[in-house]
């Protein structure tokens, strides 16, 4: 790359060495900058290497594939380097015979995920996305991608997103509904495996036109009923959290946002620091315009007169105390609150309030649960010129997150025989519990309670010291008997 003019062609061995050097380059951000730098002529070296290597499937699989994989990581395609990355992959895609050769050798590749991701970006986000979607060579490549299919959750997600984005018709596939109806591919956080779904929403997810995938409650056809139940519970509970967020973003984008939404918008957001909170962990600190009542107007002019100086200090302390009281009673930006960073009315990133130690100075620490997201957020907000705003969402993320995280980490369902297997099996006739094992004290107790509706059952239960008199109404009496007669019972209602 130092002197590409020293040779007009690159042999196969040199092409492999060049791509290996790019794959092993320690700072990928620096590499991307060099590749798009005209003086470095990195793209010219890529072109010449492709001319020598593209005719060999081994080069495509072991050199170009790993390079694309490192180049298309989320923090490069969703941050400061985004446009540079799109420039590089568009250049590669438009290299002579690239699409034709990739289509020809596609079935011979071991790892096709980098190429699927490349195609997805080329038809959705690249500057020439419209031209790519209308390209005959791109259509042929996508037809081969669909024909090969995928046996991995990641590949299935990418395949579905490609089909939805390209607008595949009968000329390519006749059974596309079989692929697109299932989970995965609607946006960057829609995955076939529910454990791969980020609990925090993403901007692409909130902006997606298609509704979220929600599995049916019927698990009769599920390969693994236990996993089906966990998947169903996770997706439906998370949709309860995400639904209001989508509604709030739509309200924010409307011509006349509601007064409630406007109260939770904070302007002129800037990334200023990184903090390490003892509970929340690593947070990115953002500065923002505080409400008028929270502004500190300190008198910094030192008085020579001793009495006036004491008065000045007291006034400053009083002002600080007043601002602290404001933030203590302020209903927003509380720990665990879900925050959306917005630019030009569009969501760009979601985080959670983690550090409020500098809230009096108009600074708040957000956590993102992902180092790559944090890095991209710092670069994106720090480099962009457009104003960034911070909007608190109504969703009680702090109450959903522990449950959703637990569902993702569960490997089996407690009491699965009652919760999973029993509902799927044909209902068996109920055994006459009250009339079997009549010598068993437990059965005798059930029989006595059954015959004591509307009467004091405290003596039967041995709880006279707690309830001098215990008379249940009909629904409570029925609920108690159901609990006693079944190994697992669910009772809903007031105490």
């Amino acid at each position: 790359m130092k002197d590409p003019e020293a040779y007009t062609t690159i042999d196969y061995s040199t092409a492999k060495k060049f791509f290996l050097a790019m794959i092993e380059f320690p700072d990928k951000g620096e590499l991307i900058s060099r590749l798009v730098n005209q003086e470095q002529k990195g793209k010219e070296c890529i072109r010449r290497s492709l001319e020598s290597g593209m005719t060999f499937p081994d080069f495509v699989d072991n050199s170009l594939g790993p390079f694309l994989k490192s180049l298309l990581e989320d923090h490069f395609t969703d941050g400061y380097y985004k446009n540079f990355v799109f420039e590089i992959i568009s250049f590669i895609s438009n290299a002579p015979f690239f699409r034709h050769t990739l289509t020809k050798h596609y079935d011979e590749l071991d790892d096709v995920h980098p190429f699927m991701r490349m195609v997805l970006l080329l038809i959705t986000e690249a500057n020439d996305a419209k031209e790519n979607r209308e390209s005959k060579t791109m259509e042929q490549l996508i037809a081969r991608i669909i024909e090969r299919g995928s046996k991995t959750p990641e590949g299935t997600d990418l395949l579905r997103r490609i089909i939805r984005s390209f607008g595949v018709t009968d000329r390519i596939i006749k059974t596309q509904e079989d692929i697109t109806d299932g989970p995965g591919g609607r946006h960057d956080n829609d995955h076939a495996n529910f454990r791969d779904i980020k609990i925090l929403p993403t901007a692409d997810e909130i902006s997606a036109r298609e509704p979220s995938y929600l599995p049916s409650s019927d698990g009769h056809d599920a390969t693994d009923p236990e996993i089906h139940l966990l998947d169903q519970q996770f997706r439906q509970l998370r949709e309860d959290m995400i639904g209001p967020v989508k509604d709030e973003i739509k309200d924010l984008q409307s011509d006349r946002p509601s007064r409630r939404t406007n109260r939770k918008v904070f302007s002129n957001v800037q990334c200023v620091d990184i903090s390490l909170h003892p509970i929340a962990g690593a947070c990115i600190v953002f500065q923002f315009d505080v409400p008028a009542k929270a502004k500190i107007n300190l008198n910094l002019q030192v008085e020579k007169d001793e009495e006036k100086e004491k008065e000045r200090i007291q006034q400053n302390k009083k002002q600080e105390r007043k601002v602290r009281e404001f933030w203590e009673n302020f209903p927003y930006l509380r720990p665990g609150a879900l925050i959306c960073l917005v630019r030009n009315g569009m969501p760009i990133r979601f985080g959670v309030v983690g550090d409020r130690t500098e809230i009096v100075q108009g600074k708040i620490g957000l956590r993102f649960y992902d180092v790559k997201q944090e890095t991209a957020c710092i670069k994106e907000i720090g480099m962009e010129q457009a104003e960034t705003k911070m909007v608190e969402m109504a969703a009680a993320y702090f109450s959903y997150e522990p449950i959703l995280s637990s569902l993702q980490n569960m490997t089996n369902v407690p009491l699965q025989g009652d919760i999973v297997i029993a509902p799927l099996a044909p209902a068996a006739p109920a055994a006459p519990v009250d009339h079997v094992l009549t010598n068993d004290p437990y059965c005798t107790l059930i029989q006595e309670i059954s015959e004591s509706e509307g009467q004091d059952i405290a003596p039967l239960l041995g709880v006279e010291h707690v309830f001098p008199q215990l008379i249940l109404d009909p629904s409570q009496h029925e609920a108690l008997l159901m609990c006693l007669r079944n190994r697992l019972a669910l009772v809903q209602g007031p105490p």
Side-chain angles (χ1 to χ4, degrees):
M1 206 162 90
K2 292 180 179 179
D3 187 17
E5 297 298 334
Y7 41 84
T8 56
T9 60
I10 297 178
D11 59 29
Y12 176 65
S13 176
T14 305
K16 287 186 67 174
K17 289 179 181 178
F18 176 64
F19 269 84
L20 179 63
M22 291 195 293
I23 294 167
E24 295 179 347
F25 199 89
D27 187 343
K28 288 296 185 294
E30 174 65 20
L31 174 65
I32 292 170
S33 298
R34 291 189 185 186
L35 289 175
V36 298
N37 187 315
Q38 291 186 356
E39 294 182 0
Q40 297 277 345
K41 298 187 178 180
K43 291 191 293 184
E44 178 64 18
C45 290
I46 290 178
R47 183 185 67 79
R48 293 179 181 178
S49 297
L50 291 176
E51 288 176 353
S52 299
M54 278 303 292
T55 54
F56 299 91
D58 175 69
F59 174 83
V60 179
D61 209 5
N62 299 320
S63 298
L64 180 57
F67 169 68
L68 289 174
K69 185 175 182 179
S70 65
L71 186 69
L72 300 179
E73 293 183 4
D74 289 342
H75 57 297
F76 291 133
T77 59
D78 192 26
Y80 170 69
Y81 295 103
K82 178 178 179 178
N83 292 331
F84 297 150
V85 170
F86 291 164
E87 181 181 339
I88 295 170
I89 63 172
S90 293
F91 179 82
I92 293 174
S93 172
N94 292 320
F97 305 111
F98 172 82
R99 296 180 188 180
H100 172 76
T101 306
L102 181 59
T103 302
K104 180 180 178 181
H105 297 301
Y106 189 79
D107 289 342
E108 303 172 37
L109 305 180
D110 292 329
D111 184 8
V112 296
H113 294 157
F115 299 99
M116 295 175 75
R117 185 158 169 73
M118 176 185 183
V119 168
L120 178 63
L121 293 174
L122 286 171
I123 63 176
T124 55
E125 299 189 55
N127 293 332
D128 53 350
K130 185 175 184 296
E131 291 81 354
N132 288 328
R133 287 194 297 272
E134 296 172 352
S135 166
K136 186 67 177 177
T137 55
M138 182 65 76
E139 179 185 319
Q140 293 169 347
L141 175 57
I142 290 177
R144 181 55 57 88
I145 291 173
I146 295 173
E147 184 180 338
R148 171 165 172 166
S150 177
K151 296 181 180 180
T152 66
E154 180 187 356
T156 302
D157 293 344
L158 289 168
L159 184 60
R160 286 174 175 148
R161 293 189 71 188
I162 288 172
I163 291 174
R164 288 188 170 93
S165 303
F166 191 70
V168 182
T169 62
D170 290 341
R171 61 186 177 174
I172 290 183
I173 185 169
K174 295 182 179 179
T175 57
Q176 64 188 54
E177 293 82 5
D178 296 338
I179 300 176
T180 57
D181 284 349
R186 290 163 181 79
H187 46 75
D188 64 0
N189 200 26
D190 180 31
H191 302 288
N193 186 345
F194 78 97
R195 302 184 201 279
D196 295 332
I197 298 174
K198 297 182 181 72
I199 297 177
L200 268 177
T202 66
D204 189 47
E205 174 181 13
I206 298 301
S207 304
R209 290 174 292 180
E210 288 190 68
S212 303
Y213 168 76
L214 296 176
S216 66
S217 58
D218 183 6
H220 285 81
D221 297 329
T223 306
D224 188 334
E226 225 175 333
I227 297 300
H228 175 84
L229 179 64
L230 291 173
D231 181 282
Q232 175 201 45
Q233 295 295 315
F234 176 86
R235 292 181 191 272
Q236 291 183 350
L237 180 61
R238 189 172 180 277
E239 184 62 20
D240 286 342
M241 177 186 76
I242 296 297
V245 175
K246 294 179 179 178
D247 293 339
E248 281 191 285
I249 294 297
K250 287 180 181 178
D251 180 35
L252 187 68
Q253 293 171 338
S254 66
D255 294 334
R256 299 180 63 182
S258 67
R259 184 179 177 185
R260 185 169 182 272
T261 298
N262 277 330
R263 283 204 306 265
K264 300 185 295 179
V265 177
F266 305 90
S267 303
N268 292 323
V269 175
Q270 296 179 347
C271 177
V272 294
D273 201 358
I274 298 176
S275 70
L276 189 60
H277 192 270
I279 298 176
C283 297
I284 298 180
V285 180
F286 295 92
Q287 191 161 26
F288 59 95
D289 287 352
V290 300
K293 294 181 179 179
K295 291 182 179 179
I296 301 180
N297 298 313
L298 298 179
N299 181 2
L300 303 178
Q301 182 65 44
V302 179
E303 298 287 349
K304 294 181 180 180
D305 183 81
E306 185 175 346
E307 290 299 320
K308 289 184 177 180
E309 177 61 14
K310 287 182 179 180
E311 182 180 351
R312 183 187 72 85
I313 294 173
Q314 288 299 321
Q315 287 293 331
N316 284 347
K317 288 182 177 179
K318 183 179 178 181
Q319 180 71 232
E320 289 179 347
R321 201 162 46 244
K322 181 180 177 182
V323 172
R324 288 188 185 279
E325 289 176 358
F326 170 86
W327 285 114
E328 287 173 2
N329 298 316
F330 194 61
Y332 306 120
L333 301 182
R334 312 298 294 181
L338 181 63
I339 303 296
C340 178
L341 298 173
V342 178
R343 183 179 297 130
N344 297 325
M346 298 299 295
I348 58 172
R349 194 84 52 183
F350 285 87
V352 178
V353 174
D355 189 354
R356 295 180 84 249
T357 53
E358 295 183 284
I359 191 72
V360 174
Q361 286 79 41
K363 297 178 182 179
I364 193 81
L366 301 184
R367 52 192 172 100
F368 295 89
Y369 297 105
D370 188 332
V371 175
K372 292 180 180 179
Q373 277 202 26
E374 292 173 358
T375 305
C377 190
I378 291 173
K379 291 179 177 177
E380 190 172 23
I381 293 180
M383 299 291 182
E384 292 287 344
Q385 299 298 318
E387 180 191 358
T388 302
K389 295 183 179 181
M390 190 166 60
V391 186
E392 179 172 333
M393 302 286 101
Y397 179 83
F398 62 89
S399 63
Y400 283 95
E401 193 273 337
I403 302 172
L404 292 171
S405 180
S406 297
L407 285 170
Q408 285 186 319
N409 292 325
M410 288 176 68
T411 55
N412 53 56
V413 179
L415 299 172
Q416 58 174 291
D418 301 273
I419 297 176
V420 182
I421 308 301
L424 299 179
V433 179
D434 297 347
H435 303 289
V436 297
L437 301 174
T438 52
N439 293 328
D440 185 279
Y442 185 72
C443 292
T444 303
L445 174 64
I446 295 176
Q447 182 68 29
E448 291 175 348
I449 292 176
S450 178
E451 297 171 353
S452 302
E453 184 174 357
Q455 302 175 29
D456 181 14
I457 62 172
L460 292 174
L461 299 176
V463 294
E464 303 96 321
H465 61 291
V466 181
F467 300 102
Q469 187 179 53
L470 183 59
I471 301 176
L472 304 180
D473 63 30
S475 64
Q476 292 172 328
H477 186 262
E478 181 184 356
L480 176 60
L481 286 173
M482 185 184 73
C483 293
L484 293 173
R485 287 170 171 163
N486 295 278
R487 200 168 80 93
L488 179 67
L490 177 64
V491 179
Q492 179 179 354

